[in-house]
Amino acid sequence: MSASKVSAASVAPKKGGGRRKLTLPVVLLIVAGGLALVSLVRLISGANDVTSVGQVSGALELAVPIGLAGLGGLWAERAGVVNIGLEGMMILGTWFGAWAGFQWGPWVGVLFGILGGALGGLLHAVITVTFGVNHIVSGVAINILAVGLTRYLSNFAFDGVEGGSSKQSPRIEAIDRITIPGLSDWLQDLQQKHWFLVSDIAGVVGGVVTNLSWLTVVAILLVPGTWWLLWRTAFGLRLRSCGESPIAAETLGVNVYKYKYIAVITSGGMAGLAGAFLAIVSTGIYQENQTGGRGYIGLAAMIFGNWMPGGMALGAGLFGFTDSLKLRGGAENVHAMLLLLAILLVIVVFWQLYRKKYVAAVISAAISALLFTWYALTDQVPSQFVDMAPYVTTLLVLSLSAQRLRMPKADGVIYRRGEGK
């Protein structure tokens, strides 16, 4: 079987369908424009910590588990299996990672975290691929099972151990962190000058080269690695064909069951790695309910990214940045984001008018006016709104990006071997 046949039969889009893909220069221009807008808001609001080195470094650390979960969802859904169970697989990753980490070291904990998530993925694959159970039902069941299982195991593994209890593990040894000497200090000094755009760029770059965990480096490399494997190899082409048209792939000799199993187990492993990151890098300890819905936010980041690794990474970065706002400057930073949202909605108004969608333009203008008024009449936002900012961002991003999304055609469709014969 040739890879070109599978591509022509099951993966290539029809002529005239779909939207033109964004090129790298266009994406870089969009990112630069967004950073300039954030810089303008920073100058107007006086919230200078919005793009500081510490803010960006914290945002990156918060974005990594969301991004890894989203990457796991991408693997599964590109093969046609919806993985709502990412949250449960992350929970398994936190527990197994902490259990092995406090006994044998952090890197062994990382491996066990991946293994724990992969076992959850294997269970999901057996239920959905082999037995044909509804993917959503299976995912929800795994989420519930993971909570109960880890709570039960903690009573035996952590309770009674020094530093542990039935709800948390003992302290785990930290993974080494790296900082590029000289460059990090220079960028931090440049960021503290609060110049327009220049200081913001210095803050973003400085956050990436300061106090960076080695596991963060591994997680970042998994994004281009996934893109190369799924979009530049015959293996990836066959796997994606299972998510577009498994029947056509089967007629060309692709073992659809095998590729779905590989994808879903890898998906669970990615989610388990995200959980291990939370336990070992983010906090250094396992705690009950530690994931806090990040598996679901990772799924939202994947959808925002249109089932592509680069877009998913941008979505994870956005959610991580929003989450970090409440940790540094809290109410002041989120108050500045009200102004940013209001300006973005003004841009949306002009875009909707250009597309002659007048009702959407009027609604966007009304919301923008409300945000401008809220920003002008207040100095800070309620603490409750600060806490819910990441989840509000999730809803807003998904609602604004919904019209341009294209999921794999056979995503969530129950497949039976032999249907193509």
Side-chain angles (χ1 to χ4, degrees), residues 334-355:
V334 175
H335 184 254
M337 290 302 101
L338 292 178
L339 179 59
L340 177 63
L341 283 175
I343 297 173
L344 286 174
L345 283 172
V346 171
I347 298 173
V348 170
V349 168
F350 284 105
W351 175 247
Q352 298 290 10
L353 290 174
Y354 172 76
R355 299 177 65 192

Side-chain angles (χ1 to χ4, degrees), residues 207-231:
V208 175
V209 299
T210 303
N211 199 30
L212 197 66
S213 168
W214 280 110
L215 193 56
T216 302
V217 176
V218 172
I220 292 173
L221 292 176
L222 284 174
V223 175
T226 292
W227 173 82
W228 178 82
L229 192 60
L230 295 186
W231 273 268

Side-chain angles (χ1 to χ4, degrees), residues 83-143:
N83 193 357
I84 296 294
L86 288 170
E87 178 76 6
M89 296 169 197
M90 278 187 72
I91 292 171
L92 293 174
T94 59
W95 193 91
F96 280 97
W99 173 73
F102 91 87
Q103 297 183 87
W104 303 303
W107 287 109
V108 176
V110 169
L111 293 177
F112 271 77
I114 295 171
L115 179 61
L119 289 174
L122 175 61
L123 178 61
H124 189 49
V126 170
I127 295 172
T128 57
V129 178
T130 301
F131 292 102
V133 175
N134 181 279
H135 299 183
I136 305 298
V137 172
S138 173
V140 171
I142 288 174
N143 291 339

Side-chain angles (χ1 to χ4, degrees), residues 314-329:
L314 287 175
L318 172 64
F319 299 137
F321 176 74
T322 308
D323 203 11
S324 70
L325 290 176
K326 66 183 182 182
L327 301 180
R328 295 176 58 95

Side-chain angles (χ1 to χ4, degrees), residues 43-354:
L43 290 176
I44 295 173
S45 65
N48 291 318
D49 199 45
V50 168
T51 55
S52 67
V53 171
Q55 180 77 52
V56 174
S57 179
L60 180 61
E61 190 163 297
L62 290 168
V64 166
I66 295 173
L68 287 171
L71 208 58
L74 187 147
W75 270 85
E77 299 209 9
R78 276 295 175 179
V81 180
V82 175
N83 193 357
I84 296 294
L86 288 170
E87 178 76 6
M89 296 169 197
M90 278 187 72
I91 292 171
L92 293 174
T94 59
W95 193 91
F96 280 97
W99 173 73
F102 91 87
Q103 297 183 87
W104 303 303
W107 287 109
V108 176
V110 169
L111 293 177
F112 271 77
I114 295 171
L115 179 61
L119 289 174
L122 175 61
L123 178 61
H124 189 49
V126 170
I127 295 172
T128 57
V129 178
T130 301
F131 292 102
V133 175
N134 181 279
H135 299 183
I136 305 298
V137 172
S138 173
V140 171
I142 288 174
N143 291 339
I144 296 171
L145 176 64
V147 171
L149 178 63
T150 53
R151 186 173 297 171
Y152 174 77
L153 292 175
S154 294
N155 291 322
F156 298 97
F158 302 143
D159 195 16
V161 179
E162 183 180 357
S165 70
S166 61
K167 295 183 181 295
Q168 70 176 41
S169 72
R171 179 65 56 179
I172 306 166
E173 181 185 348
I175 291 177
D176 291 338
R177 293 176 177 267
I178 55 173
T179 296
I180 300 179
L183 178 61
S184 176
D185 294 334
W186 177 69
L187 289 170
Q188 191 157 5
D189 291 339
L190 189 59
Q191 176 264 314
Q192 290 175 350
K193 295 182 182 298
H194 307 312
W195 293 338
F196 174 73
L197 192 57
V198 175
S199 293
D200 300 281
I201 295 174
V204 171
V205 178
V208 175
V209 299
T210 303
N211 199 30
L212 197 66
S213 168
W214 280 110
L215 193 56
T216 302
V217 176
V218 172
I220 292 173
L221 292 176
L222 284 174
V223 175
T226 292
W227 173 82
W228 178 82
L229 192 60
L230 295 186
W231 273 268
R232 287 294 182 269
T233 67
F235 164 82
L237 187 60
R238 295 186 184 102
L239 187 145
R240 288 185 294 118
S241 73
C242 298
E244 296 291 342
S245 179
I247 294 176
E250 182 188 28
T251 59
L252 293 172
V254 175
N255 187 335
V256 177
Y257 273 22
K258 181 182 81 171
Y259 281 94
K260 283 181 178 288
Y261 262 86
I262 291 173
V264 180
I265 293 172
T266 302
S267 174
M270 292 281 189
L273 178 59
F277 186 95
L278 277 176
I280 298 172
V281 176
S282 297
T283 60
I285 195 170
Y286 163 81
Q287 293 175 312
E288 197 174 287
N289 301 320
Q290 189 169 20
T291 56
R294 289 178 176 84
Y296 300 113
I297 298 178
L299 201 61
M302 178 206 67
I303 297 171
F304 164 78
N306 210 9
W307 289 264
M308 294 292 292
M312 183 281 307
L314 287 175
L318 172 64
F319 299 137
F321 176 74
T322 308
D323 203 11
S324 70
L325 290 176
K326 66 183 182 182
L327 301 180
R328 295 176 58 95
E332 180 185 0
N333 287 339
V334 175
H335 184 254
M337 290 302 101
L338 292 178
L339 179 59
L340 177 63
L341 283 175
I343 297 173
L344 286 174
L345 283 172
V346 171
I347 298 173
V348 170
V349 168
F350 284 105
W351 175 247
Q352 298 290 10
L353 290 174
Y354 172 76

Side-chain angles (χ1 to χ4, degrees), residues 338-398:
L338 292 178
L339 179 59
L340 177 63
L341 283 175
I343 297 173
L344 286 174
L345 283 172
V346 171
I347 298 173
V348 170
V349 168
F350 284 105
W351 175 247
Q352 298 290 10
L353 290 174
Y354 172 76
R355 299 177 65 192
K356 298 182 179 179
K357 295 189 174 182
Y358 302 113
V359 175
V362 170
I363 295 173
S364 299
I367 297 174
S368 178
L370 287 173
L371 290 174
F372 273 121
T373 303
W374 188 1
Y375 175 79
L377 297 179
T378 59
D379 294 326
Q380 62 181 14
V381 296
S383 59
Q384 294 85 350
F385 187 83
V386 175
D387 292 335
M388 64 188 283
Y391 308 103
V392 173
T393 302
T394 303
L395 293 174
L396 286 175
V397 166
L398 289 179

